[in-house]
Amino acid sequence: MADDLERAEIIVTEVHKKINDAFEVFDHDLNKTVDVREIGAIVRSLGCFPTEAELLDIIDERPPNVLLLKVEEPSGFICFERFLPTMSKILMEHKFRPIPEDMLLTAFEVLDRQKKGHLEPDELTDYMRQGNEPFTHLEMEEMLSSAVDPDSNLIYYKDFVNTMVLDGER
């Protein structure tokens, strides 16, 4: 029984650390708050891929019995204390399953019609602006900042997919 409790505490501690680390990347003022527009990027960086509607449900205020984030009015920022329990619940319940690595790779290969093994940033940006749920400008900047190889200014999507897949999900 004690071993189970210890393991549970270790798992919760690891989840909280992962959430804190992701949150800190977007906490530009180091004041334990992030702009509400960055919540999607943070959630996705944690391996969860909700639709835009689901993301809005996470952010929007709901009845008290539903654990969701509340945007601090009128600032448009969300504080870490509110984000941590909400995101912990999402991760612990595996609410938004990550996209499998092979599906991500296939999606990039479809975009790479010439089978070069890479995409140009403008090419990917054009694709990201299409569809039912186009990426915001901020989301595109965040993704490109981690996807583009600084030496060649290209996106080697096999390497990028490897960085997007959570450890243990392969």
Side-chain angles (χ1 to χ4, degrees):
M1 186 82 158
D3 286 340
D4 290 342
L5 185 58
E6 255 181 59
R7 272 183 258 157
E9 287 176 2
I10 290 169
I11 290 169
V12 169
T13 300
E14 289 174 358
V15 166
H16 285 184
K17 181 178 178 349
K18 189 180 286 192
I19 293 168
N20 184 63
D21 291 349
F23 193 91
E24 283 181 350
V25 169
F26 295 89
D27 182 7
H28 306 294
D29 294 331
L30 304 175
N31 62 359
K32 294 292 187 181
T33 63
V34 295
D35 188 303
V36 68
R37 295 171 295 185
E38 294 180 315
I39 293 297
I42 297 170
V43 170
R44 289 180 183 103
S45 77
L46 288 165
C48 298
F49 298 91
T51 65
E52 285 302 310
E54 291 168 329
L55 191 57
L56 289 175
D57 285 343
I58 292 168
I59 295 169
D60 284 346
E61 185 176 2
R62 294 286 186 235
N65 62 334
V66 181
L67 181 60
L68 298 171
L69 298 174
K70 178 182 176 187
V71 178
E72 297 294 321
E73 294 297 334
S75 68
F77 285 82
I78 293 178
C79 65
F80 183 71
E81 293 88 34
R82 288 216 172 119
F83 184 73
L84 181 64
T86 302
M87 197 63 219
S88 295
K89 183 174 173 34
I90 288 169
L91 288 177
M92 297 298 281
E93 293 178 355
H94 302 286
K95 185 160 170 100
F96 303 107
R97 299 296 299 171
I99 300 169
E101 181 177 8
D102 61 337
M103 285 182 69
L104 287 171
L105 192 54
T106 299
F108 278 105
E109 288 171 345
V110 166
L111 300 178
D112 181 15
R113 293 187 178 130
Q114 297 168 348
K115 308 298 179 214
K116 303 174 290 194
H118 65 268
L119 296 171
E120 302 205 14
D122 291 341
E123 189 178 9
L124 185 57
T125 300
D126 288 343
Y127 290 122
M128 292 167 49
R129 288 190 176 131
Q130 300 171 7
N132 294 337
E133 296 185 24
F135 284 75
T136 66
H137 180 71
L138 182 61
E139 289 172 328
M140 286 188 282
E141 283 181 7
E142 291 294 332
M143 185 167 116
L144 290 174
S145 71
S146 62
V148 175
D149 177 67
D151 296 328
S152 64
N153 198 38
L154 297 172
I155 300 162
Y156 295 97
Y157 52 84
K158 287 181 184 176
D159 295 336
F160 182 57
V161 166
N162 284 332
T163 64
M164 290 183 355
V165 175
L166 288 174
D167 291 343
E169 293 290 337
R170 294 179 186 197

